[in-house]
Amino acid sequence: FQICGESKKNVDATESWLKNLILKDQFENSISDELIENFGETQIDALADLQRRYHVTIQLENKLSPPCIKISGISKDVCFVSVEVQKMIQKIQYTEEERSKAELVYNLVEWRYPGSNDSFVAFDKLTNMQLEDAKIAKKPHLTVKINKNNYKVDLNTLQASDDQGKTINIHRVPKNEDKQSIELPVQWEDMQEERVKLVTLNPSCQEYLEVQDKFKKTCPNFVIEKVKSW
């Protein structure tokens, strides 16, 4: 802008007053967080949009440890943008926590829906976690996507129906149960829901004889028992 006045003295005084007024309302805030390192294209674009829409300058210094975002400008805008940046960081933190939790749940239980040729396909890990959380919370229903279509899952009957009324069966397979689908040796005994079981072997069985031969080479006295775990 231009300043006009009766004398240079008055113009200089007005210019000085305006500069002081502007500087008085200037503010800078720094936000440091390890999660800033995870900022991707979406977050960078959001920062650029905030800088365009508000009277602020945003500097992303991701080479620092921890990474830092500096926001400077008019105080009220700096405060608003700082809150928005904190929300972005919190969203990344939530996403990371959900991904970690989903991985843990997937290691314990796997939810599946029908695929082709009478096979079953595992849900993605996030949906898998949502189904398991809903079951634990004893929710009656949960809506999920299967092949880009919405299905309403009845968590009591484990049936899922789409908007056209098509119904399919889904499976919940604890990873321990899933291991039972592996063909086990015929001589193995039923664990009877036990995690660890001590089994006395018949001296005439092949397992006993094989172990006995190996022990005789170095140990004259021994008792052979088998410990099974699941």
Side-chain angles (χ1 to χ4, degrees), residues 3-11 14:
I3 303 173
C4 300
E6 294 179 354
S7 64
K8 185 177 185 303
K9 180 180 178 181
N10 289 342
V11 170
T14 302

Side-chain angles (χ1 to χ4, degrees), residues 2-230:
Q2 292 182 329
I3 303 173
C4 300
E6 294 179 354
S7 64
K8 185 177 185 303
K9 180 180 178 181
N10 289 342
V11 170
D12 290 343
T14 302
E15 181 182 2
S16 177
W17 175 79
L18 286 172
K19 285 181 178 179
N20 290 334
L21 190 64
I22 292 171
L23 291 173
K24 186 184 296 185
D25 199 32
Q26 291 294 299
F27 183 66
E28 182 177 283
N29 185 34
S30 295
I31 300 173
S32 299
D33 197 296
E34 293 290 351
L35 290 172
I36 293 174
E37 188 175 10
N38 296 330
F39 272 32
E41 185 177 345
T42 300
Q43 289 76 27
I44 300 300
D45 289 345
L47 291 176
D49 182 60
L50 287 170
Q51 184 169 254
R52 282 193 300 268
R53 292 190 292 122
Y54 298 93
H55 300 289
V56 296
T57 298
I58 300 176
Q59 292 177 285
L60 175 60
E61 300 182 0
N62 51 14
K63 293 184 179 180
L64 296 179
S65 182
C68 173
I69 293 177
K70 289 184 179 180
I71 308 162
S72 56
I74 298 176
S75 57
K76 65 180 182 66
D77 289 338
V78 170
C79 291
F80 177 84
V81 171
S82 296
V83 171
E84 293 301 305
V85 171
Q86 290 287 6
K87 288 179 181 178
M88 293 164 63
I89 294 173
Q90 290 169 4
K91 187 174 181 179
I92 289 178
Q93 181 179 9
Y94 175 79
T95 301
E96 291 293 317
E97 289 174 351
E98 288 294 284
R99 184 180 293 114
S100 177
K101 181 183 175 184
E103 187 68 35
L104 175 61
V105 172
Y106 185 75
N107 289 332
L108 299 174
V109 63
E110 185 175 285
W111 288 78
R112 302 171 179 173
Y113 61 90
S116 58
N117 300 323
D118 297 325
S119 64
F120 277 82
V121 180
F123 282 96
D124 66 85
K125 293 179 181 180
L126 184 58
T127 303
N128 187 77
M129 179 187 68
Q130 292 169 346
L131 284 163
E132 186 65 15
D133 285 349
K135 180 175 176 59
I136 293 173
K138 297 183 177 180
K139 293 182 179 180
H141 300 97
L142 181 72
T143 299
V144 300
K145 279 195 177 295
I146 299 176
N147 297 325
K148 299 182 180 180
N149 294 320
N150 287 328
Y151 278 80
K152 186 177 182 180
V153 178
D154 186 319
L155 292 165
N156 293 316
T157 64
L158 297 188
Q159 290 186 325
S161 302
D162 65 8
D163 296 335
Q164 282 70 46
K166 177 183 176 182
T167 300
I168 60 175
N169 293 319
I170 65 172
H171 288 180
R172 177 184 180 273
V173 183
K175 288 301 178 78
N176 283 348
E177 288 184 12
D178 197 29
K179 291 178 183 177
Q180 294 178 4
S181 62
I182 301 173
E183 185 176 351
L184 302 177
V186 293
Q187 69 269 24
W188 283 20
E189 297 181 17
D190 191 344
M191 293 289 290
Q192 300 294 336
E193 303 298 328
E194 295 183 58
R195 292 289 178 184
V196 178
K197 187 173 184 178
L198 185 65
V199 180
T200 302
L201 294 174
N202 188 326
S204 63
C205 76
Q206 185 63 32
E207 276 187 291
Y208 188 97
L209 295 174
E210 289 177 358
V211 175
Q212 178 180 250
D213 289 341
K214 293 178 181 179
F215 264 91
K216 280 182 177 179
K217 295 177 181 178
T218 56
C219 182
N221 299 311
F222 53 84
V223 175
I224 300 175
E225 292 180 317
K226 179 171 65 175
V227 177
K228 293 170 64 179
S229 65
W230 189 256

